[in-house]
Amino acid sequence: MSVVAADGTCHTAAPQSAGRAAAGAVLLVGAPNVGKSALFNRLTGSYAAVSNYPGTSVEVARGVMRTGDTTWDVLDTPGLYSLLPTTEEERVTQRIVLDGAADVLVHVIDAKNLERMLPLTLQLVELGRPLVVALNMMDEAERLDIRIDVPLLARRLGVQVVPVVAVSGRGLDELRQAVTAAEGHGAAVVPAYGNGAGQAVNRIADAMDSGGVRLRDHVQARIDRIDVRALAALALQGDNEARARLQQVAPLLDMDHLIAGTAAQLDGPPAYRMAFERRRAAQQMLDGVVAAGRGQRAPWVDGLGRLLARPATGLPVLAVVLYLGLYRFVGEFGAGFMVDAIEGILFENLLNPFFESVFAFVPWEWLRALFVGEFGVLTLGLRYAVAIILPVVGAFFLFFSVLEDTGYFPRLALLVDRAFKRIGLSGRAVIPMVLGFACTTMATMVTRTLETRRERLLATVLLALAVPCSAQLGVIIAILAGAPAALAVWTGVLVGSFLLVGLVTARLMPGAPATFHMELPPLRLPRPGNVLTKTYTRMHWYFVEVLPLFLLASVLLWIGDLTGGLGVVLSVLTPVVHALELPSDTATVFLFGFFRRDYGAAGLFEMSQQGLLSLRQLTVAAVTLTLFVPCVAQFLMMMKERGTRAALAVAAFVTPFAFGTGWLLNIVLRTAGW
């Protein structure tokens, strides 16, 4: 039977006030690309905050949900496929779940892919905690004529199952009611596993009980709300976190010997055996629950999805997307038309003359220069941030949000996976790489989603070296747009540097090759509301971050100019740019680039507009600036994510590589007659 929930109304969450009781905490758990964040936004409205999980750099979103006169704290955890984690983000989600701090768990599931989602549901059922299953994307399942017997599934799982559509708000009232009803009631069904897997788990649990220690009666609140069998299953699969928690409860037991002896009795590696039996149990549980019809989705949609992931067809599509999106829209429209309009009309004709007239009364030239001089916070910092950078970033984020909403990025990850494997990465790394074209600082943070430390470090190096942020990319494309040969050289050197450094580093750096798995959401037309909301949110975040840094950079440059420190730094850089046969003023551009990559690109744009560089010099400067050391913000993020030593090592490698590449390129271009 096909179950359709009544449409739910979106309630905007409100802060807790007098007379309103706090019920407890709700934890949203689920795999990536199942609409978990969309559901979180619907449940909590605008009252949400993001903070790092203690002791890590992984961010967890927190908000407030209202059910009648009661409020709930809602946590949106990073996506995971299993409670046996492979990444830092999955480890954080596992810790939050195992800590037992949440009163109700909500497992968000893609209704179209129940068979793949249900093994994690069974793990959550094993915990013995209050649990609600949210069957999201029911509208897409219905279009495919996938019929789900929700009451039967709920009886077999022993928990409430609620069909929802997060993007529209349908079913949210029922979900809120289910959360309220689930509080204090653990799952009623204990999954049974065959082929010795279930017996192995029970053996560890029985050993805990026979030792006179019952986990449920333990005084530590962070442990006693989790069923011992769930921890035993994780420990049996080699999870050190679960084993440590069991050892805390029964310190007299030889946990290592117990787990090793139990694992030896299984037919195969415990992690494999448990995963296999859990998947088989999920298949049995779904027998008679799901019926699939012909579906209403046009066959060409699935065919298009497959074509996008195949090199023969996907690469030409990617080339068209990059040409239309990056070159024409971001480069020509954003960095060309919009920058010319805002800088020429708004700043040069209106704001700059106004600022200069306002500060004309200041009798001290050195103080007046702080605001309207060569490095003035208004005439330089504000102008660069608003007139040159913001239009480019806005155009890129709009382009990025459209692609994201269509479901194209996971297919791009499949497309590049084989090529990325050659440089030590997996297709999963395409997400931080693409995000790097928006902001390399943000992309460096997102590398934490990669599975191994080796892959995270490789991605960080490549982001620091050969991935220009959106503002830098847009400005440089605008500069070189009139010379296709120069743009081709710039692109070729960047791609060549990316591949060369990736290939060499992947062979020198120890560690296992990267693996790859990712859920493929359906291709869909972008929703204008989603696109505009994402674009606005990202632009707001970027502008709030970048404007203070631009103003601070102007102040530091003003101080350096006033004290002579700027001259010392430029005196060091000047011989280097001369070796590249660039004018002395280019040293200032590289100095700007250290404060912000886009700051340096804006300086190069200004030099280009003034006709201070020949085509060869412009090409060499653009290549060198793009490969140059990451900006301060990205460098600090590298220190936070990879550690100080790794960040310094990356900077020490990137700097000579950039100038060395520029020097060689200048020789090649001069020899070619440029």
Side-chain angles (χ1 to χ4, degrees):
M1 59 180 285
S2 179
V3 178
V4 179
D7 287 344
T9 304
C10 177
H11 294 270
T12 300
Q16 186 176 334
S17 59
R20 182 172 295 158
V26 177
L27 193 67
L28 301 184
V29 182
N33 297 317
V34 297
K36 185 164 51 65
S37 295
L39 182 61
F40 171 81
N41 293 334
R42 280 282 180 176
L43 291 174
T44 61
S46 59
Y47 293 92
V50 177
S51 59
N52 285 356
Y53 184 75
T56 74
S57 57
V58 177
E59 294 180 339
V60 177
R62 300 171 182 267
V64 176
M65 178 183 73
R66 174 183 170 185
T67 57
D69 293 330
T70 305
T71 60
W72 295 78
D73 294 324
V74 182
L75 280 73
D76 180 18
T77 59
L80 83 168
Y81 295 95
S82 166
L83 285 181
L84 190 66
T86 57
T87 68
E88 183 185 7
E89 288 200 331
E90 291 182 342
R91 173 66 66 185
V92 166
T93 299
Q94 186 215 47
R95 287 176 181 171
I96 296 174
V97 171
L98 296 185
D99 279 349
D103 296 279
V104 179
L105 304 176
V106 176
H107 185 202
V108 186
I109 287 180
D110 177 0
K112 307 183 305 300
N113 297 299
L114 272 178
E115 186 175 333
R116 289 207 303 271
M117 303 281 136
L118 212 59
L120 176 56
T121 309
L122 295 181
Q123 285 188 296
L124 297 175
V125 168
E126 290 171 6
L127 297 175
R129 303 292 318 289
L131 174 67
V132 175
V133 173
L135 285 181
N136 194 24
M137 303 184 187
M138 280 298 296
D139 55 337
E140 296 178 359
E142 290 161 359
R143 280 198 296 270
L144 295 173
D145 197 21
I146 297 175
R147 299 178 296 277
I148 302 173
D149 190 336
V150 176
L152 177 58
L153 179 61
R155 287 197 300 272
R156 290 181 176 178
L157 287 174
V159 301
Q160 296 190 73
V161 180
V162 183
V164 298
V165 180
V167 294
S168 68
R170 171 179 146 191
L172 261 64
D173 284 345
E174 288 79 3
L175 181 60
R176 292 186 180 94
Q177 294 169 9
V179 167
T180 302
E183 185 182 16
H185 302 284
V189 174
V190 177
Y193 305 124
N195 290 332
Q199 291 89 333
V201 171
N202 289 332
R203 181 186 177 196
I204 298 175
D206 292 342
M208 301 286 291
D209 287 343
S210 64
V213 180
R214 295 196 62 85
L215 198 64
R216 293 181 184 276
D217 299 330
H218 198 269
V219 295
Q220 295 187 29
R222 293 179 60 195
I223 298 178
D224 65 0
R225 303 175 73 179
I226 302 298
D227 193 294
V228 65
R229 284 179 293 273
L231 291 175
L234 288 172
L236 184 62
Q237 295 173 83
D239 185 70
N240 292 329
E241 180 86 14
R243 182 172 56 183
R245 289 170 185 261
L246 290 175
Q247 192 69 73
Q248 283 181 331
V249 177
L252 299 181
L253 282 178
D254 187 346
M255 199 61 61
D256 292 341
H257 178 74
L258 172 63
I259 293 173
T262 305
Q265 299 179 12
L266 287 175
D267 181 20
Y272 169 78
R273 294 304 317 163
M274 289 298 301
F276 180 84
E277 293 303 324
R278 192 173 286 120
R279 183 167 293 278
R280 185 163 67 174
Q283 291 171 342
Q284 293 174 348
M285 191 166 286
L286 289 175
D287 184 26
V289 169
V290 179
R294 294 183 177 181
Q296 300 178 16
R297 189 165 69 194
W300 65 267
V301 175
D302 292 328
L304 177 60
R306 289 190 293 271
L307 291 176
L308 291 176
R310 293 174 180 171
T313 49
L315 290 177
V317 172
L318 176 60
V320 172
V321 168
L322 294 178
Y323 173 75
L324 294 177
L326 292 183
Y327 182 76
R328 298 300 298 271
F329 185 67
V330 178
E332 293 188 352
F333 176 74
F337 174 76
M338 292 300 297
V339 168
D340 290 344
I342 296 176
E343 185 182 33
I345 297 174
L346 183 62
F347 274 85
E348 290 184 4
N349 295 337
L350 297 175
L351 291 182
N352 279 1
F354 172 73
F355 292 146
E356 290 171 359
S357 65
V358 168
F359 288 93
F361 73 94
V362 178
W364 303 285
E365 171 62 27
W366 61 270
L367 182 58
R368 187 165 61 249
L370 172 62
F371 300 98
V372 295
E374 181 183 2
F375 304 116
V377 294
L378 299 176
T379 53
L380 181 70
L382 185 66
R383 177 169 62 89
Y384 274 17
V386 175
I388 298 179
I389 302 307
L390 190 61
V392 180
V393 170
F396 180 86
F397 280 144
L398 181 58
F399 162 68
F400 185 87
S401 298
V402 169
L403 287 187
E404 184 181 38
D405 216 48
T406 62
Y408 176 67
F409 284 139
R411 287 156 180 87
L412 178 60
L414 284 178
L415 176 65
V416 303
D417 179 59
R418 181 174 297 180
F420 270 32
K421 290 285 177 59
R422 295 182 179 274
I423 57 175
L425 301 174
S426 69
R428 188 183 179 99
V430 78
I431 304 300
M433 291 302 165
V434 173
L435 277 175
F437 288 105
C439 175
T440 48
T441 304
M442 178 171 61
T444 302
M445 179 180 69
V446 174
T447 58
R448 66 171 68 129
T449 62
L450 303 179
E451 293 189 356
T452 65
R453 183 180 181 277
R454 177 178 184 267
E455 194 176 5
R456 292 192 289 270
L457 184 56
L458 276 168
T460 300
V461 172
L462 295 174
L463 282 169
L465 176 70
V467 178
C469 65
S470 61
Q472 186 186 49
L473 175 67
V475 171
I476 289 179
I477 287 177
I479 294 172
L480 302 178
L487 184 59
V489 169
W490 176 80
T491 304
V493 173
L494 253 63
V495 173
S497 298
F498 183 93
L499 295 176
L500 174 63
V501 172
L503 287 168
V504 173
T505 308
R507 280 153 179 74
L508 295 178
M509 190 176 296
T515 58
F516 176 60
H517 53 84
M518 176 177 285
E519 290 294 327
L520 280 180
L523 285 176
R524 59 173 72 91
L525 290 174
R527 297 172 181 259
N530 287 354
V531 170
L532 293 177
T533 299
K534 291 176 182 178
T535 303
Y536 169 77
T537 302
R538 286 164 176 157
M539 284 183 64
H540 178 267
W541 172 85
Y542 189 86
F543 190 63
V544 167
E545 180 206 8
V546 77
L547 181 58
L549 290 175
F550 270 48
L551 300 182
L552 176 61
S554 295
V555 172
L556 294 177
L557 289 170
W558 171 78
I559 294 174
D561 186 47
L562 192 64
T563 61
L566 183 61
V568 174
V569 176
L570 292 177
S571 67
V572 175
L573 284 174
T574 300
V576 179
V577 299
H578 284 171
L580 274 61
E581 298 184 8
L582 299 174
S584 300
D585 289 347
T586 318
T588 306
V589 169
F590 287 111
L591 182 60
F592 284 6
F594 175 69
F595 288 106
R596 292 284 308 183
R597 285 189 170 192
D598 33 18
Y599 208 162
L604 188 62
F605 179 85
E606 195 162 43
M607 289 187 68
S608 172
Q609 293 291 89
Q610 296 171 1
L612 301 178
L613 298 168
S614 67
L615 180 60
R616 172 169 56 86
Q617 291 175 321
L618 194 58
T619 307
V620 171
V623 167
T624 309
L625 182 64
T626 308
L627 297 175
F628 189 48
V629 293
C631 65
V632 171
Q634 186 183 356
F635 181 77
L636 293 176
M637 184 60 70
M638 285 196 302
M639 291 178 60
K640 180 180 179 182
E641 295 288 329
R642 306 282 89 84
T644 303
R645 291 176 59 185
L648 290 173
V650 171
F653 164 73
V654 167
T655 304
F657 184 92
F659 285 114
T661 302
W663 179 76
L664 288 173
L665 178 62
N666 180 62
I667 294 175
V668 172
L669 294 181
R670 178 159 35 83
T671 304
W674 282 44

